[in-house]
Amino acid sequence: MLRVAVVGSGPSGVYTAQSLVQQSVVPGVRVDVLDRLPCPYGLVRYGVAPDHEKIKSLQQNLRAVLEDERISFVGDVEVGARGLTPARLLELYHAVVYCVGAARDRRLGVPGEDLAGSWSATDFVSWYSAHPDAVTDGFAGSGTGLDGRSAVVIGVGNVAVDVTRILARGADELRLTDVPEGALRALEASRVREVHMVGRRGPGQAKFTTKELRELGGLPGARVRVDPADLALDPAYTDPAGLPAVNRRNVEVVRGWAADGAESDAPRGIRLRFFLRPVELLGEDGRVAAVRFERTVPDGAGGVRGTGEFEEIEAQLVLRAVGYKGVPLAGLPFDEARGTVPNEAGRVLRDGVPSLGEYVAGWIKRGPTGVIGTNRPCAKGTVASLLADASALTDRRLTDDPLDALRDLGHDPVAWRGWLSIERAESALGRSLGRGRVKIPDWAGLRAAAGEDGAWGPPDRP
């Protein structure tokens, strides 16, 4: 038997587990999918916006994999310096595949970035997605930004579109989602009436996808405006024929908004701005009051250069959505520049040499690129490398039981049935609030919902 641990239960981890049990090269594979959280699905649960029900429905596909009898979910288990070390994992399993994503957001690196009211988009997403690590009071208190009139979102990718949409969407619509009750109340009380989404390059180079972009124009109670002067700086704006299909469609959508000069009495406005690079967050009484931008122009080589002209946009809330970066995991090598674990075809490299039994898949393997579906071929590639090593891996006899090792370290792992208990508790919470299912937002609540019957160990399924 080949015993494998997959660290991380997001799409890359689940696709890795699926590839392992569906292959026919090595019989008798058993996979334990470990996660630091007592809940599976990773960014599908904690990164997809609550109003994106179609994407969130991917959880059902992931669920079908995790319910395979050859796969066990082992939640609420930390891997790293404070939990199971990579060295100890290799003693318990023939192979370990790390699918830990890219949890750190990139910073702007400008003065004033740490003023009150300045946040990463990751903070905001974690808060409205009920991640148990989110700031306790989140964005509900005074001075957090939602009590101001104007918000600036820095970035023009799908995360920027998501947070812009949540800020501009009415609370009555969000009530139909699983957004936690505290976040719903705070968004209902929000005074933000103007949201500026700002990019340093033009619409022809923006990273958002057309479907997500169009959603901004369909929000009840909000109107999208675009400054034609910004667009005129983009050489591809007047003739987008040479752009890739997605970028070309994006330009066409933005062009339609720029041409719409009709007056609107919508209570909230969305302003798309381009060719502006943040250089400083300006403060007043310790909290952000505006963002200072430098006007940029295309440099002819696909980038931009500064012009020395500056503009200030009022903002009591600033969300930076300029990308993610991997986080080092104690005991594994790490390439700080790329934010990945050094690897060759998914095999972890230690001092340039493949480390037998250690593998990576997903963002920690290739960097934060691609969409959810990109993780499937990425996982298959890593599994192919693992299976090629299978004969050498199974030469090593395993003696310790993983569950006993976890308990010796003080862990109380959550089994699949514990996750099902959390699901039932969230449904009950929603009913008590007159809503559909509502997420439990804190560690204590999740662990209590999992209950003693959710502890991992035979039988580990209901």
Side-chain angles (χ1 to χ4, degrees):
M1 181 195 302
L2 176 65
R3 196 159 75 189
V4 181
V6 173
V7 181
S9 66
S12 62
V14 175
Y15 293 149
T16 297
Q18 183 180 41
S19 294
L20 282 164
V21 298
Q22 287 183 344
Q23 55 79 34
S24 58
V25 178
V26 179
V29 175
R30 294 286 306 185
V31 183
D32 289 347
V33 179
L34 281 60
D35 203 291
R36 188 176 67 87
L37 299 173
C39 309
Y41 312 138
L43 281 178
V44 178
R45 174 174 167 90
Y46 288 116
V48 175
D51 57 345
H52 271 178
E53 288 298 328
K54 186 174 181 180
I55 301 176
K56 287 170 71 67
S57 68
L58 176 64
Q59 292 184 22
Q60 298 307 313
N61 298 337
L62 303 181
R63 180 192 193 104
V65 176
L66 291 174
E67 288 182 332
D68 188 296
E69 62 181 8
R70 296 163 292 181
I71 299 172
S72 296
F73 173 71
V74 188
D76 202 4
V77 172
E78 184 152 3
V79 173
R82 295 180 296 176
L84 274 176
T85 65
R88 183 64 176 133
L89 275 175
L90 265 187
E91 294 172 353
L92 299 171
Y93 296 91
H94 292 112
V96 184
V97 186
Y98 295 91
C99 306
V100 292
R104 184 171 62 193
D105 60 278
R106 294 184 181 274
R107 290 177 61 85
L108 299 173
V110 301
E113 189 169 7
D114 294 319
L115 286 166
S118 169
W119 302 81
S120 75
T122 304
D123 292 327
F124 192 58
V125 171
S126 294
W127 171 70
Y128 68 59
S129 296
H131 196 293
D133 286 342
V135 181
T136 304
D137 293 329
F139 291 75
S142 175
T144 60
L146 289 180
D147 56 344
R149 192 194 71 82
S150 177
V152 166
V153 178
I154 299 173
V156 283
N158 279 347
V159 174
V161 173
D162 278 350
V163 298
T164 296
R165 190 180 64 255
I166 294 298
L167 285 170
R169 189 181 281 285
D172 286 343
E173 302 158 63
L174 290 173
R175 191 177 302 279
L176 303 176
T177 73
D178 62 5
V179 67
E181 187 70 8
L184 179 66
R185 289 197 301 268
L187 289 166
E188 189 173 32
S190 170
R191 297 180 182 178
V192 174
R193 294 296 176 265
E194 194 81 19
V195 185
H196 305 260
M197 190 169 73
V198 187
R200 63 186 177 87
R201 296 195 292 178
Q205 296 79 47
K207 298 298 184 182
F208 39 61
T209 52
T210 309
K211 179 180 180 295
E212 279 68 26
L213 179 64
R214 284 190 176 125
E215 288 180 350
L216 294 179
L219 295 178
R223 183 201 171 194
V224 181
R225 291 180 292 164
V226 183
D227 189 340
D230 288 355
L231 304 180
L233 296 171
D234 192 339
Y237 176 66
T238 54
D239 183 14
L243 292 173
V246 172
N247 302 77
R248 184 171 65 251
R249 290 193 294 267
N250 289 343
V251 169
E252 290 168 355
V253 172
V254 172
R255 178 185 287 162
W257 288 332
D260 181 11
E263 292 295 324
S264 172
D265 58 357
R268 292 175 295 277
I270 299 172
R271 294 282 306 274
L272 300 190
R273 300 297 310 275
F274 299 97
F275 293 107
L276 291 173
R277 178 168 57 200
V279 295
E280 185 177 5
L281 274 61
L282 306 176
E284 186 176 297
D285 297 328
R287 62 177 291 180
V288 67
V291 183
R292 191 170 192 239
F293 293 92
E294 181 182 18
R295 169 64 72 187
T296 63
V297 293
D299 63 5
V304 293
R305 60 176 176 81
T307 64
E309 299 176 10
F310 298 90
E311 177 180 338
E312 293 179 10
I313 298 178
E314 176 194 351
Q316 294 79 38
L317 171 64
V318 175
L319 299 174
R320 63 179 182 274
V322 292
Y324 297 96
K325 193 174 184 181
V327 177
L329 186 67
L332 280 183
F334 189 71
D335 184 336
E336 189 66 46
R338 297 187 59 198
T340 59
V341 170
N343 71 93
E344 184 179 88
R347 296 180 176 92
V348 172
L349 298 178
R350 291 184 179 272
D351 298 321
V353 178
S355 174
L356 183 65
E358 294 186 302
Y359 305 85
V360 286
W363 278 2
I364 202 64
K365 169 186 175 183
R366 67 182 192 274
T369 60
V371 294
I372 290 175
T374 311
N375 291 295
R376 190 183 292 275
C378 176
K380 286 183 176 180
T382 293
V383 168
S385 294
L386 189 157
L387 295 175
D389 300 338
S391 59
L393 295 172
T394 52
D395 279 346
R396 185 166 52 87
R397 185 170 177 267
L398 304 178
T399 57
D400 293 331
D401 179 83
L403 178 59
D404 291 339
L406 291 172
R407 287 173 171 161
D408 288 345
L409 287 168
H411 291 283
D412 187 17
V414 171
W416 185 252
R417 62 174 173 264
W419 159 241
L420 297 180
S421 294
I422 292 172
E423 284 191 314
R424 290 192 293 270
E426 291 184 336
S427 294
L429 174 61
R431 288 194 298 272
S432 73
L433 296 169
R435 299 172 54 192
R437 180 176 169 183
V438 174
K439 285 182 181 176
I440 297 171
D442 60 284
W443 281 100
L446 290 170
R447 285 168 172 156
E452 292 184 4
D453 290 339
W456 193 73
D460 66 344
R461 304 190 186 284

